[in-house]
């Protein structure tokens, strides 16, 4: 589903990613973790070209991402993304947030788009909030709307960029529950997160990054049970230690 | 009493200030009322005016037709009068949000066509009046209406262009904005009235009003563009990320996500610029168009009525103030929603 081959990325003179190789298969759930500044957000943002890589190849569902706008468009239609800061459209209601892209990108008739939207709102358990504006919702509710918004485009792959980092502790679970459910249904997922509990229950593979490199990639049992590198051990002791 | 104390004598500084203000008003207000109302001469009689102590409102009474309608043929003044009411009516009508439907543009189209028919005439047995003779209130309102109607969309394009990824477009927009902003409106108007005809092939003429209008549109667009750009810059990057991630192409992203938010943020500075533009229309007097302020100036040149400038300009100020204050109040109510 995702294939990255020797991908490097620079911000001006700072190299954010160093020859990263990573493959995510169909239906696979990959959790990316690592200390801040390790390049995990940059890595996930390459997948739908919110950032452009300079070296190597990124292939998503058989389409190689280059400067070609058609390739980028094709990939973005297939890939849903959820952000740390939700990024809902504040001037639109919840329902309008959900129907906007299907109506304007996929040309789905409005009525059908609204039915789909209500279906996914029910799935994230907030159908009663459809007429409200994002600012009237709690953080957890907003993030669930954001997940529903991505799902309304019927993506083949979902990207989560630290989806619970901006949430109050009591709201983290409601978002993770939705994500776990989504994983159970077989969605291909790439998740950047510090929620190690989520990684243990859901992930097929945990990718540990540090300094722009993939340092370790292993199934959760192996990664958490017997990390190979000192850096991973240090990171785990810091994340799990408290 | 409690309200009075809290609002006017909340502390010693506030108390002193209140007393000072009362003193100033007590000294200044009675003489002003005497001048403006009690001793004022209301009859259009220059002799009585010169003899009297107070304001000479008779001047306004005598000259109001010329002030409001300029050199438009006297017996046809009903036509610009209706046009003025119609145009103000269109603005008021458009101020109500419930009417913000697609058909509002049809209402405007019909309204402006009617105004055009009334002002030019030439059909339905109405005498033709060339636009060189239009003047006064309607000219000010028309210059503002058409100025903003064209400058605002142009300014949005310029602001978007200034943030474009394409270097050529960006350079063109930056160049335009900086060039126009660096030049006083007066010189633009002069250029439009004096220099533009020199560049046109012989035989082709654009009339004076249109030239002034174009100059004003170009000028206003540059200023408004910077206001809109300010709004665009206030949009968080996450909004762009989300729009990109949903595969929204450029124009849809701009129209559906970015502009609605950017323009909402820009309402106060936009209205500020609109008000400035409304008053700037008075500069057309230097190229010989008779807007509201020019007609007042010309009225003052009448031998029998010289020396009543204070009354005349006070009247002009009141008219301008009424329009600007209405715009400002409307923008306040708009921001609260």
């Amino acid at each position: 589903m995702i294939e990255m081959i020797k991908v490097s990325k620079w911000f001006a003179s700072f190299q954010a990613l160093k020859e990263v190789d990573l493959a995510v298969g169909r239906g696979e759930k990959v959790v990316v973790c690592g200390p801040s500044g390790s390049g995990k957000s940059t890595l996930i943002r390459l997948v739908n070209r919110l950032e452009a890589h300079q070296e190597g190849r990124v292939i998503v569902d058989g389409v190689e991402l280059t400067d070609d706008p058609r390739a980028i468009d094709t990939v973005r239609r297939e890939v849903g993304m959820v952000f740390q800061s939700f990024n809902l459209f504040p001037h639109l209601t919840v329902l309008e947030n959900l129907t906007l892209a299907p109506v304007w990108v996929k040309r789905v008739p409005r009525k059908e788009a609204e039915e789909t939207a209500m279906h996914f709102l029910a799935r994230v358990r907030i159908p009663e909030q459809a007429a409200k504006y994002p600012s009237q919702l709690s953080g957890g509710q907003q993030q669930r709307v954001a997940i529903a918004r991505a799902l309304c485009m019927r993506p083949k792959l979902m990207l989560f960029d630290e989806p619970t980092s901006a949430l109050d502790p009591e709201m983290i679970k409601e978002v993770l529950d939705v994500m776990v459910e989504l994983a159970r249904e077989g969605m291909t997922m790439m998740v950047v997160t510090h929620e190690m509990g989520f990684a243990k229950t859901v992930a097929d593979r945990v990718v540990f990054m540090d300094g722009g490199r993939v340092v370790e990639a292993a199934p959760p049992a192996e990664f958490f049970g017997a990390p190979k590198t000192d850096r991973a051990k240090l990171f785990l002791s810091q994340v799990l230690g408290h | 009493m409690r309200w009075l104390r809290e609002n006017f004598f909340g502390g010693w500084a506030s108390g002193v200030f209140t007393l000072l203000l009362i003193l100033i008003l007590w000294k200044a207000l009675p003489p002003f009322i005497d001048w403006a109302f009690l001793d004022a001469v209301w009859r259009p009689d220059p002799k009585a005016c010169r003899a009297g102590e107070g304001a000479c409102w008779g001047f306004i009474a005598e000259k109001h037709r010329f002030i409001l309608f300029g050199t438009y043929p006297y017996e046809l003044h009903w036509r610009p009068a209706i046009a003025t009411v119609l145009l103000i009516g269109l603005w008021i009508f458009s101020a109500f949000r419930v009417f913000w439907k697609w058909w509002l543009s049809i209402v405007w189209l019909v309204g402006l066509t009617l105004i055009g028919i009334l002002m030019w005439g030439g059909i339905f047995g109405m005498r033709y009046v060339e636009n060189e003779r239009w003047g006064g209130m309607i000219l000010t309102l028309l210059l503002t209406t058409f100025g903003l109607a064209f400058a605002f969309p142009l300014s949005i394009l310029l602001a978007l262009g200034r943030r474009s990824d394409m270097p050529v477009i960006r350079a063109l927009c930056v160049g335009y904005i900086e060039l126009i902003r660096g030049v006083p409106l007066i010189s633009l108007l002069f250029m439009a009235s004096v220099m533009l005809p020199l560049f046109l092939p012989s035989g082709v003429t654009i009339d004076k009003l249109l030239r002034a209008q174009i100059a004003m549109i170009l000028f206003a667009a540059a200023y408004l563009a910077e206001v809109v750009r300010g709004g665009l810059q206030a949009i968080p990057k996450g909004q762009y990320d989300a729009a990109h991630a949903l595969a929204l192409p450029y124009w849809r992203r701009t129209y559906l996500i970015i502009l609605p938010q950017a323009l909402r943020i820009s309402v106060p500075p936009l209205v500020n610029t609109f008000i400035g533009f409304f008053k700037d229309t008075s500069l057309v007097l230097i190229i010989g168009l008779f807007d509201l302020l020019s007609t007042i100036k010309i009225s003052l040149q009448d031998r029998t009525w010289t020396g009543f400038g204070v009354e005349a300009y006070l009247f002009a100020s009141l008219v301008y103030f009424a329009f600007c204050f209405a715009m400002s109040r409307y923008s306040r109510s708009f921001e609260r929603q």
Side-chain angles (χ1 to χ4, degrees):
Chain A
M1 198 73 187
I2 308 174
E3 208 173 337
M4 294 190 180
I5 305 158
K6 289 203 176 306
V7 173
S8 293
K9 159 84 186 165
W10 286 263
F11 290 107
S13 61
F14 170 72
Q15 188 169 5
L17 293 176
K18 296 167 184 166
E19 301 198 346
V20 172
D21 288 301
L22 181 71
V24 177
R26 192 172 298 274
E28 203 181 1
K29 293 105 185 78
V30 172
V31 165
V32 183
C33 61
S36 68
S38 60
K40 47 195 194 313
S41 265
T42 310
L43 183 79
I44 203 170
R45 287 167 67 88
L46 288 185
V47 178
N48 62 352
R49 195 87 174 177
L50 291 184
E51 303 288 352
H53 57 285
Q54 279 108 20
E55 277 175 20
R57 301 175 69 188
V58 178
I59 301 158
V60 180
D61 198 29
V63 179
E64 174 157 12
L65 282 167
T66 57
D67 286 332
D68 179 10
R70 277 168 305 174
I72 296 171
D73 189 60
T74 313
V75 168
R76 283 178 179 165
R77 281 162 181 257
E78 312 271 296
V79 178
M81 188 162 190
V82 176
F83 302 88
Q84 179 178 349
S85 48
F86 327 136
N87 296 348
L88 294 176
F89 304 128
H91 60 298
L92 301 176
T93 64
V94 166
L95 191 66
E96 287 164 344
N97 263 279
L98 265 58
T99 55
L100 182 108
V103 168
W104 290 96
V105 176
K106 287 195 157 177
R107 299 272 165 213
V108 176
R110 184 166 295 277
K111 199 166 179 312
E112 193 185 321
E114 281 175 4
E115 279 163 15
T116 311
M118 288 314 295
H119 166 75
F120 282 113
L121 275 183
R123 286 263 307 269
V124 299
R125 295 187 275 279
I126 36 174
E128 72 282 1
Q129 312 286 2
K132 287 195 184 166
Y133 284 89
S135 58
Q136 296 169 295
L137 305 183
S138 73
Q141 290 173 324
Q142 288 192 48
Q143 193 60 300
R144 285 186 280 154
V145 171
I147 294 172
R149 177 175 69 178
L151 292 174
C152 280
M153 286 291 277
R154 309 263 184 204
K156 291 181 181 165
L157 162 68
M158 284 285 283
L159 307 174
F160 293 84
D161 188 2
E162 305 207 22
T164 56
S165 299
L167 294 175
D168 292 334
E170 74 272 20
M171 294 171 182
I172 291 177
K173 189 174 176 295
E174 63 189 51
V175 172
L176 289 179
D177 285 349
V178 169
M179 289 168 65
V180 169
E181 212 168 280
L182 196 60
R184 296 237 164 88
E185 285 159 22
M187 176 65 77
T188 312
M189 290 162 75
M190 186 166 169
V191 184
V192 172
T193 185
H194 296 296
E195 294 296 328
M196 292 302 130
F198 175 80
K200 280 175 190 164
T201 28
V202 172
D204 296 310
R205 206 147 37 101
V206 178
V207 172
F208 175 70
M209 290 187 73
D210 191 28
R213 288 179 209 278
V214 172
V215 178
E216 257 181 70
E222 206 174 303
F223 178 73
F224 291 110
K228 288 193 202 73
T229 59
D230 290 340
R231 275 182 289 181
K233 278 177 201 158
L234 178 66
F235 175 75
L236 283 175
S237 73
Q238 282 163 343
V239 175
L240 301 172
H242 54 257
Chain B
M1 275 314 280
R2 191 194 156 89
W3 175 85
L4 209 69
R5 202 175 62 234
E6 274 172 8
N7 284 288
F8 292 97
F9 298 96
W12 68 268
S14 153
V16 167
F17 206 71
T18 304
L19 287 176
L20 207 68
L21 266 176
I22 289 173
L23 189 75
I24 291 171
L25 285 178
W26 187 58
K27 284 281 181 200
L29 215 51
F32 178 76
I33 290 172
D34 279 347
W35 177 80
F37 300 105
L38 300 180
D39 296 339
V41 178
W42 302 86
R43 280 170 298 124
D45 174 2
K47 283 206 186 76
C49 272
R50 283 187 209 290
E53 297 264 294
C56 176
W57 299 122
F59 169 73
I60 306 293
E62 167 78 14
K63 294 287 186 187
H64 76 279
R65 294 281 287 258
F66 182 74
I67 289 172
L68 287 176
F69 306 119
T71 52
Y72 207 88
Y74 191 84
E75 66 284 6
L76 300 177
H77 276 179
W78 61 273
R79 277 159 52 177
I82 295 175
T84 307
V85 172
L86 209 58
L87 192 50
I88 295 174
L90 277 172
W91 278 109
I92 294 173
F93 185 77
S94 313
F96 292 98
R97 279 193 160 201
V98 277
F99 300 134
W100 290 6
K101 301 276 158 54
W102 64 271
W103 48 259
L104 189 60
S105 51
I106 308 284
V107 172
W108 270 94
L109 217 61
V110 172
L112 290 177
T113 311
L114 279 175
I115 288 169
I117 292 172
L118 277 166
M119 292 303 292
W120 266 303
I123 48 169
F124 306 131
M126 292 195 290
R127 207 172 93 202
Y128 175 72
V129 179
E130 69 270 29
N131 55 20
E132 299 274 311
R133 300 194 61 178
W134 300 5
M137 191 75 242
I138 189 72
L139 194 67
T140 298
L141 290 176
L142 280 176
L143 281 170
T144 308
T145 304
F146 279 97
L148 293 179
F150 285 95
F152 188 44
L154 182 60
S155 75
I156 290 174
L157 291 178
L158 282 168
L160 291 172
R162 191 164 184 168
R163 290 167 58 89
S164 163
D165 296 331
M166 286 172 275
V168 179
I169 291 184
R170 197 168 55 230
L172 277 174
C173 292
V174 173
Y176 175 87
I177 291 169
E178 295 303 336
L179 196 74
I180 301 281
R181 278 205 310 172
V183 176
L185 177 55
I186 293 203
S187 51
L188 269 184
L189 287 170
F190 267 129
M191 275 198 274
S193 79
V194 181
M195 282 169 62
L196 199 65
L198 301 180
F199 295 120
L200 290 173
S202 60
V204 179
T205 53
I206 309 177
D207 71 75
K208 201 154 68 174
L209 182 59
L210 187 58
R211 272 180 278 153
Q213 180 75 78
I214 291 170
M216 304 210 66
I217 288 169
L218 296 180
F219 185 77
Y223 273 87
L224 289 170
E226 287 298 280
V227 174
V228 175
R229 186 168 72 103
L232 289 174
Q233 271 171 342
I235 305 296
K237 188 170 166 288
Q239 293 290 308
Y240 289 92
D241 282 348
H244 283 302
L246 290 168
L248 282 163
Y250 180 82
W251 286 111
R252 262 168 240 162
R253 185 168 77 230
T254 305
Y255 175 71
L256 296 166
I257 309 295
I258 307 303
L259 279 182
Q261 298 183 58
L263 294 181
R264 176 165 293 244
I265 304 168
S266 314
V267 166
L270 275 176
V271 172
N272 187 37
T273 315
F274 287 174
I275 288 175
F277 181 74
F278 175 68
K279 292 182 295 181
D280 278 350
T281 56
S282 57
L283 286 172
V284 295
L285 92 138
I286 59 140
I287 59 165
L289 289 172
F290 301 122
D291 80 310
L292 187 66
L293 205 63
S294 331
T295 53
I296 284 178
K297 208 172 141 88
I298 291 164
S299 310
L300 282 170
Q301 287 164 1
D302 186 337
R303 275 285 181 76
T304 48
W305 288 99
T306 45
F308 299 109
V310 178
E311 290 86 340
Y313 287 116
L314 208 60
F315 175 72
S317 307
L318 272 176
V319 174
Y320 277 103
F321 178 76
F323 280 99
C324 295
F325 189 64
M327 278 194 257
S328 159
R329 295 306 300 188
Y330 179 64
S331 127
R332 287 275 297 278
S333 77
F334 194 80
E335 281 163 47
R336 273 199 296 273
Q337 282 171 349

